[in-house]
Amino acid sequence: MAGNVRKILRQKQLACGALCAEAAVLDGSCHILLYGGQSPHIGCTVLAEPRPSLLGDGSVSATVSVLNVCGHKDEAICRLIAETVASRTGRVTVCTGGFHLDGITPEQIGEVSAAARALAGELAEAAD
């Protein structure tokens, strides 16, 4: 493999399937493919660039740009992961992906969101 690239694979098992993340940690950046459910797809791409927080307390935040495929709601989980990894590691981070489950319930949405939060933390720790 050319250059200094590390691969990270993480998965969270859900009652309704799995949420999977494949990351490539590059020099100063991280690229994440997030997918799961009945029909994995690309519904969104989020670019998060780390920057000093506007709170002025020395913490790091991220400026985010989003590209959504019309009709897809994948921004919530992709944005969460990209922002978390960028702000915790100081790496420019891209998260692309999608999770689809026919007739998803509010409880299942909560389960997917919780899994995304857990994945975000694991990916940030592994990419640091």
Side-chain angles (χ1 to χ4, degrees):
M1 198 175 302
N4 185 21
V5 178
R6 285 185 291 129
K7 295 280 189 163
I8 302 168
L9 302 173
R10 295 290 187 274
Q11 178 175 310
K12 293 295 176 193
Q13 195 58 47
L14 310 170
C16 58
L19 183 62
C20 306
E22 298 180 17
V25 181
L26 311 159
D27 292 333
S29 57
C30 183
H31 184 233
I32 302 163
L33 175 62
L34 183 71
Y35 57 92
Q38 295 168 323
S39 181
H41 62 283
I42 293 176
C44 181
T45 295
V46 175
L47 169 69
E49 184 176 3
R51 61 162 172 76
S53 172
L54 298 177
L55 296 174
D57 61 1
S59 63
V60 176
S61 187
T63 295
V64 175
S65 298
V66 178
L67 292 171
N68 280 313
V69 174
C70 187
H72 289 259
K73 303 290 185 184
D74 305 294
E75 177 182 347
I77 57 176
C78 289
R79 183 181 188 124
L80 169 71
I81 288 175
E83 279 185 313
T84 300
V85 172
S87 63
R88 290 192 191 174
T89 67
R91 295 176 186 277
V92 171
T93 302
V94 171
C95 182
T96 297
F99 182 95
H100 179 81
L101 183 63
D102 287 339
I104 193 167
T105 66
E107 293 79 18
Q108 290 168 323
I109 291 170
E111 184 182 19
V112 172
S113 296
R117 280 190 299 280
L119 278 175
E122 289 179 20
L123 291 168
E125 185 176 318
D128 204 10

